[in-house]
Amino acid sequence: MLKQKEMKWMAVATGIGVFFIFLTMLYGDNLINSNTGYMIIDKIFGGQFGQLYNEIDWSYGLSIYFIYALWSVPIWFIGYICGFEINMNAIPVLLWYKLLLAVFAIWSIFLVGKVAEELYAERKQEVKLQYCMSIFLVVPVVAIAQCDIIGICFVLLGLYYYIKEQNILFIIAMGVAITMKGFAILPFLPLVLFRFRKISKLISVFGAGLLFAGVSELVIRNSETGASARSNPEYYVNVAIQRLTEVRIDAGASRVIGLLGFFFLILCIIAYILPNQDTEKNKRYAIWLVFSSYLSFFLFYNNNFYRHVLLAPFLILAIYVKPGLTKVCLLLETLYGITVALDSINKQPWVFLGPKTFSYLFIGKEILDNWLFTRIHWFLEAYMPLILGISYASVIAILVLTFPGVKDLPVEDGVEKEMRIVTWMRISVIYVWIILALIGTMDF
């Protein structure tokens, strides 16, 4: 267990690195959501929303656009009062929309603490700290500025209500999360199967939770662009859904098995047959089920690095279920984070440490041809099978070790010192990311 004084210095070190990233790094996809949110509020105040409603891309669920629109109100009023058109690429505006994600990130940290308090109250602050420094939180939210953190807050809220056995609030929170992106269905199904065993109850709870998604989809499909996109098999959202069967094995006799569907169904069966008696153990099973449900998605689907924010809080919460194995699992989580980052740098070099990493905000410089980066990509291309093997082994080991039915190890003497070393190693990953990004701005 880390001491309070040590955690303060670790929090300061993490905060400095995160703040630097916040002020300097951005990926252009964030501009799509911010522009859409601003256009919605502009058309509403201008009485022209009907036209825009039929032109929006509708890449996400209804509630995401609603949140971005609300966040755009102050920007719109500044432009209206001052009588000028808002430059959506201006640094203050870009930071304003990054601040939206920072607010939700802070809320997620608070919710991680609330869930941790229910299971291991004496280590609540330590759990929050480890989550704050997770590369799966820092890069997707602070560097790339992707919006999945908004939905994950409602999943965390749903998990908290689930643990507190407030079923109606659990269903509402998860229902709202599903309207943002459909990913929230993954933890929702096994959690419901774990608690509600009667068929009639299962149907009613599933129906209530999915009702929110149904309303959102109905609104989207009623627009011209929404209806057109949903019926077009080449639309990239539909293509992404089709890829759910992309990771597969050949079973012979012209039979191909999609691994995501196979293992997710196995997980749902496990959730349904797990013993549901001891309250404290049920809380641990609930966290493990959420973690494993998201993990099945990352193991058997071709995912982007930034989506790992979906996994981040539940991975850390699961790791602390076993005090004797926490140190080992944190090391494995760090290794998993590094390997996922390397894979993403190799697959999407225009996004992760890409040429425009520093071009939008205060540094304002686009990366030129860089000899070192060329060498890095050559290395990654050559050794990617090895890197991915380490990646899968690390996270599958965490999955097995954190299962509540697996026996914990006794806490060793001197574990505080080793936890301190592991934590500083995790913090250093943030600074290595910053250094690599800065190297990209140099000419060799």
Side-chain angles (χ1 to χ4, degrees), residues 300-320:
F300 304 116
Y301 187 80
N302 186 19
N303 273 293
N304 286 313
F305 185 7
Y306 63 74
R307 286 201 186 117
H308 278 76
V309 73
L310 301 171
L311 187 67
F314 311 108
L315 178 53
I316 297 298
L317 285 167
I319 283 172
Y320 272 82

Side-chain angles (χ1 to χ4, degrees), residues 283-443:
K283 294 177 182 179
R284 288 164 169 76
Y285 275 129
I287 287 175
W288 186 84
L289 286 170
V290 177
F291 162 52
S292 56
S293 63
Y294 275 126
L295 183 59
S296 66
F297 180 57
F298 289 103
L299 290 176
F300 304 116
Y301 187 80
N302 186 19
N303 273 293
N304 286 313
F305 185 7
Y306 63 74
R307 286 201 186 117
H308 278 76
V309 73
L310 301 171
L311 187 67
F314 311 108
L315 178 53
I316 297 298
L317 285 167
I319 283 172
Y320 272 82
V321 165
K322 301 287 183 62
L325 292 167
T326 297
K327 174 191 67 177
V328 173
C329 287
L330 280 174
L331 281 171
L332 290 170
E333 187 267 355
T334 306
L335 187 58
Y336 179 56
I338 292 170
T339 53
V340 169
L342 291 174
D343 180 42
S344 299
I345 291 169
N346 182 56
K347 287 193 304 186
Q348 295 179 295
W350 60 92
V351 179
F352 303 98
L353 303 179
K356 290 185 175 293
T357 297
F358 289 119
S359 64
Y360 295 100
L361 299 175
F362 283 111
I363 291 180
K365 183 176 181 180
E366 189 167 343
I367 294 175
L368 305 174
D369 291 334
N370 186 288
W371 174 85
L372 180 59
F373 272 28
T374 302
R375 288 282 182 172
I376 289 174
H377 287 295
W378 173 85
F379 171 82
L380 293 177
E381 191 67 33
Y383 293 98
M384 191 49 61
L386 173 63
I387 293 169
L388 288 178
I390 294 171
S391 182
Y392 273 65
S394 300
V395 77
I396 290 173
I398 297 174
L399 179 68
V400 174
L401 293 175
T402 57
F403 182 68
V406 173
K407 186 178 179 181
D408 192 11
L409 294 178
V411 178
E412 302 173 347
D413 294 335
V415 70
E416 288 183 12
K417 180 180 179 180
E418 296 198 352
M419 280 292 294
R420 185 162 59 247
I421 294 171
V422 170
T423 304
W424 281 112
M425 287 174 59
R426 287 166 53 74
I427 295 171
S428 70
V429 173
I430 298 173
Y431 284 91
V432 169
W433 185 273
I434 293 171
I435 291 168
L436 284 174
L438 289 172
I439 287 174
T441 66
M442 302 175 185
D443 299 325

Side-chain angles (χ1 to χ4, degrees), residues 171-189:
I171 294 169
I172 293 173
M174 295 299 287
V176 172
I178 292 170
T179 67
M180 296 180 177
K181 287 189 179 181
F183 302 136
I185 293 175
L186 292 170
F188 181 62
L189 294 178

